[in-house]
Amino acid sequence: EAGVAQSPRYKIIEKRQSVAFWCNPISGHATLYWYQQILGQGPKLLIQFQNNGVVDDSQLPKDRFSAERLKGVDSTLKIQPAKLEDSAVYLCASSLERFSGANVLTFGAGSRLTVL
Amino acid sequence: AQSVAQPEDQVNVAEGNPLTVKCTYSVSGNPYLFWYVQYPNRGLQFLLKYITGDNLVKGSYGFEAEFNKSQTSFHLKKPSALVSDSALYFCAKWGDQGGKLIFGQGTELSVKP
């Protein structure tokens, strides 16, 4: 089966600019996740969707970050305006069902953001 | 409180020697524990998981992990390391708050010929 697709792979912007990342999960996977991975740290969950509804966005900086999953398939994560501390790899993952502890997440290759 | 801790930032092993990457977790009922591996410029790949049952879990690429409830540990092991095992390894736990996968900070494994 095709994996989780993400684009762009790399993006360099200046602070206060905006950026958007796109994710296409594995076909049929109901749950989609966006993680932020800062260099030297483990991935941190930003937002979790179940179909097109938000399950958890408690760690999403909502003053600058937004995400949507229209039609319950593709998802877009946007940052506006970007700050230096947003430099990170943004990982998208999907799972067949809502995470129950037994399901395995499949990750995309990530989108590396550098904010100058 | 941190749910998952990986006490070593880096582990160095000679090829052919056994390797161990350590992980401890905070106690909360019956934990669901995972190991993922990340190669350079790649996403995380699932290695193995512990849900219930046998304390020794076998996974991909010859890796295994031992669940130790009394020590709240879930160390990743391999009997004979390969140079190609060099990567970043993450331990993760199904979280206590709202059901999310929480990762440790990662351990960089370096296997030298």
Side-chain angles (χ1 to χ4, degrees), chain A residues 7-23:
Chain A
S7 68
R9 288 295 311 277
Y10 306 93
K11 189 75 176 177
I12 300 174
I13 62 173
E14 295 188 348
K15 60 183 179 182
R16 291 188 290 273
Q17 287 187 324
S18 63
V19 64
F21 302 113
W22 171 83
C23 172

Side-chain angles (χ1 to χ4, degrees), chain B residues 39-101:
Chain B
Y39 297 99
N41 299 314
R42 303 281 295 277
L44 278 73
Q45 296 178 34
F46 169 75
L47 279 179
L48 51 80
K49 66 180 179 182
Y50 172 82
I51 303 299
T52 187
D54 195 349
N55 289 343
L56 185 64
V57 180
K58 294 189 181 297
S60 306
Y61 313 121
F63 284 93
E64 57 189 27
E66 185 172 9
F67 172 69
N68 188 317
K69 189 172 184 177
S70 63
Q71 297 185 4
T72 63
S73 67
F74 189 56
H75 301 331
L76 181 70
K77 300 180 180 183
K78 187 173 182 180
S80 179
L82 300 173
V83 173
S84 57
D85 292 331
S86 298
L88 194 54
Y89 289 81
F90 289 97
C91 183
K93 178 189 169 189
W94 174 235
D96 310 317
Q97 307 90 15
K100 62 184 79 170
L101 193 60

